Amino acid sequence: MLSRLFTGYCLIVYAFLLAPIFVVVAASFNAGNFLTFPPQGLSLRWYVVFFENEVFMRAIRTSLWVAALTACISTVIGTAAAIYAVRHAGRMKDTVRVAMLAPLLLPEVLTAIALLFFFYAVGMGTRTMAGMVIGHVVITLPFVFMNVVASLESFDPALDLAARSLGAGRYARFRRIMLPLIKPGVIGGALFAFIISFDTFTISFLLKGIGTSTLPIQLFDYLRTNFTPEAAAVSSVSIAMTIAVVVVIEKVLGLRIHRF
Amino acid sequence: MTEVRISHLTKSFGAGPVVDALSLTIGHGEFVSLLGPSGCGKTTTLRMIAGFEDADSGVIAFDGSDVSRVPAEKRDIGMVFQNYALFPHMTVAQNLAFGLEMRKIPAAEIRTRIARVLDMVQLGTMTERYPSQLSGGQQQRVALARAIVIEPRILLLDEPLANLDAKLREEMRVFIRDIQRRVGITTVYVTHDQAEALSMSDRVVVMFGGRIAQTGAPADIYDRPATRQVAGFVGQVNVIEGVVETASGEGGHVRLPFGTIEAPRIGAATPGARVALALRPEAVSLVPPAGAGWQGRVVSRHYGGNLVDYRVAMADGTVIHAQTFPTTQFEPGAEVGVHADAARLWPLGD
């Protein structure tokens, strides 16, 4: 009885989470001229409009580039920070941890304004994509850090000693022993960084360079003057891309390491 | 084979020294156990030999050359860890190959060496298994194989049998010692289990509080313990105290609170001085009460299969621990004659 209640409860939660996605995807197949639900007739016409829209296509390319760069940089820095915090920080461990998670505690808009002032103060401004990527790295770092810390906590330090006793230097120990064992955390962190960067609005809005609008910004711009199902098509493609990235990375790199 | 010479090795963590000016030489191919309670410094000593900890002062030399500043990965040691520390993402063969790959050994030779060592530990068919697919005993043997396949100068074992069940533990004692003899490797074995230390070692080093309390062959440690602490830690013991009445040669006549005994050795004690004598429980036998000799009353009896454990209260209240074969048994409460094998009495220092 209790387990049936629990199953029902889970279903309600899932419905709550997934219903908006369902509505958006359904609305994108609308044949009519306005963003309505339920859709009026079935058609792919708004997808065609979207894929022929040069502005949206450029925004998607920008978004993918920024997300990929952010994921790479964030993963390297976040992994290094996590290894330091867990293995080498000693009594400083909690301090390092709080410092690394600080970006989560600040409202994103404050982080963005602070970075904006900083970029102008150092003369970098926001003419290029660099500022936005740095901003994305700042907000995604805690996610990489937390993921890698979690997998490092279950890494047995004796394995490192065993590898040392067998003659392995620092690099060989990292490459052959630690990295394969914390891989799920590293990849999980990279996925978070990619998805958060791909979806984030506030940071991008304030830090975007000239002609470097990401998809969420372009969509926001579009919705200010239009209300066609093209917006739903954009969202659906964005959702599909996010899912595709997760699936591809899972298949190629594997989120599991042990056979058992 | 390598000789390990440790001199005045000291290491502190915060408060007092964990290892305190320890000096010890381990001969070529010798099997030495470091035995002591937890916190006695035995594991820290082993970790310093391995190079995982730096000594505060003192020297560790392999065959005369100081390795104190050589990092662990260059010391050429094989180590077996208490939890085995097998690489979970590698098969048995990959675990064994790791150390050989680090030494840039050609692939063909790696294969033959792995096959030979796995044969030795009787795991020849397990090469493609992952550690999680092996039993505890098998993992233990893989860990041993991984440590010896690199043909290290010294083999270090840190409580390797602590996680195995009792029966397997006894089999592995014989197994490890057998392999160590065949390979002929200098071995340091850390344990808190006196039975392991006694049954496996050429020499046992008993440690308390970071210092060596006694070093000697297993029989020396057991039959001729240097101090009360050693006697009490290595096996069970009755410490009986008395006053020397007369001395003759090495021995003397000792008056105890519940009788007298002719001790063949009284150490440095002179007539009139107090002496503490170690008497192992299996050197005490119980007989039906007779007029002469020590008398006591059985307080408790514990049947242990091969031996029966008695506590016997003597006339003055002293409790003597006796272990006898179960052929004749006495009920709790029974009056008994207590007979001590005087040849097994050993005077203890402080």
Side-chain angles (χ1 to χ4, degrees), chain A residues 173-184 257, chain B residues 89:
Chain A
R173 295 204 299 276
F174 175 70
R175 179 71 200 72
R176 303 257 333 249
I177 308 297
M178 187 189 282
L179 193 55
L181 289 170
I182 64 169
K183 201 171 80 175
I257 37 156
Chain B
H89 59 304

Side-chain angles (χ1 to χ4, degrees), chain B residues 150-163:
Chain B
I150 57 174
E151 294 173 10
R153 302 176 72 175
I154 297 152
L155 180 62
L156 306 174
L157 301 106
D158 183 12
E159 308 241 9
L161 306 183
N163 291 342

Side-chain angles (χ1 to χ4, degrees), chain B residues 166-201:
Chain B
K167 181 133 183 59
L168 201 52
R169 197 150 57 211
E170 295 199 7
E171 284 172 26
M172 284 303 293
R173 279 185 208 164
V174 180
F175 187 81
I176 290 178
R177 185 67 226 249
D178 181 49
I179 299 247
Q180 187 269 342
R181 278 215 184 87
R182 277 157 69 187
V183 180
I185 186 172
T186 308
T187 301
V188 184
Y189 188 100
V190 162
T191 183
H192 65 269
D193 181 335
Q194 41 101 11
E196 269 174 33
L198 294 178
S199 65
M200 296 172 79
S201 324

Side-chain angles (χ1 to χ4, degrees), chain A residues 218-240:
Chain A
Q218 204 59 59
L219 187 59
F220 178 72
D221 254 12
Y222 180 82
L223 283 172
R224 280 200 295 195
T225 48
N226 305 280
F227 200 64
T228 67
E230 186 178 357
V234 174
S235 304
S236 302
V237 169
S238 161
I239 291 164

Side-chain angles (χ1 to χ4, degrees), chain B residues 146-281:
Chain B
R146 184 179 68 177
I148 60 177
V149 75
I150 57 174
E151 294 173 10
R153 302 176 72 175
I154 297 152
L155 180 62
L156 306 174
L157 301 106
D158 183 12
E159 308 241 9
L161 306 183
N163 291 342
L164 299 178
D165 61 58
K167 181 133 183 59
L168 201 52
R169 197 150 57 211
E170 295 199 7
E171 284 172 26
M172 284 303 293
R173 279 185 208 164
V174 180
F175 187 81
I176 290 178
R177 185 67 226 249
D178 181 49
I179 299 247
Q180 187 269 342
R181 278 215 184 87
R182 277 157 69 187
V183 180
I185 186 172
T186 308
T187 301
V188 184
Y189 188 100
V190 162
T191 183
H192 65 269
D193 181 335
Q194 41 101 11
E196 269 174 33
L198 294 178
S199 65
M200 296 172 79
S201 324
D202 292 317
R203 208 146 51 95
V204 177
V205 175
V206 185
M207 289 178 69
F208 292 108
R211 293 165 175 273
I212 295 177
Q214 188 176 4
T215 305
D220 279 336
I221 301 283
Y222 190 77
D223 291 332
R224 293 176 281 283
T227 64
R228 278 167 198 255
Q229 222 177 359
V230 173
F233 189 75
V234 183
Q236 294 170 304
V237 73
N238 295 295
V239 178
I240 50 180
E241 289 188 46
V243 177
V244 179
E245 289 199 320
T246 55
S248 54
E250 287 192 353
H253 191 72
V254 180
R255 169 159 298 281
L256 304 166
F258 49 83
T260 59
I261 195 158
E262 203 66 44
R265 281 168 298 266
I266 54 167
T270 49
R274 295 191 68 80
V275 65
L277 299 166
L279 179 64
R280 296 290 180 187

Side-chain angles (χ1 to χ4, degrees), chain A residues 162-204:
Chain A
R164 281 186 78 181
S165 77
L166 293 166
R170 221 174 265 279
Y171 176 73
R173 295 204 299 276
F174 175 70
R175 179 71 200 72
R176 303 257 333 249
I177 308 297
M178 187 189 282
L179 193 55
L181 289 170
I182 64 169
K183 201 171 80 175
V186 174
I187 291 173
L191 278 179
F192 266 117
F194 186 94
I195 292 165
I196 289 166
S197 164
F198 193 76
D199 285 344
T200 194
F201 176 78
T202 320
I203 276 260
S204 309

Side-chain angles (χ1 to χ4, degrees), chain A residues 156 159 164-166 176, chain B residues 73 77 83 86 89 101 103:
Chain A
D156 178 5
L159 296 179
R164 281 186 78 181
S165 77
L166 293 166
R176 303 257 333 249
Chain B
E73 54 268 36
I77 44 146
N83 64 356
L86 296 176
H89 59 304
E101 285 162 11
R103 285 167 171 71

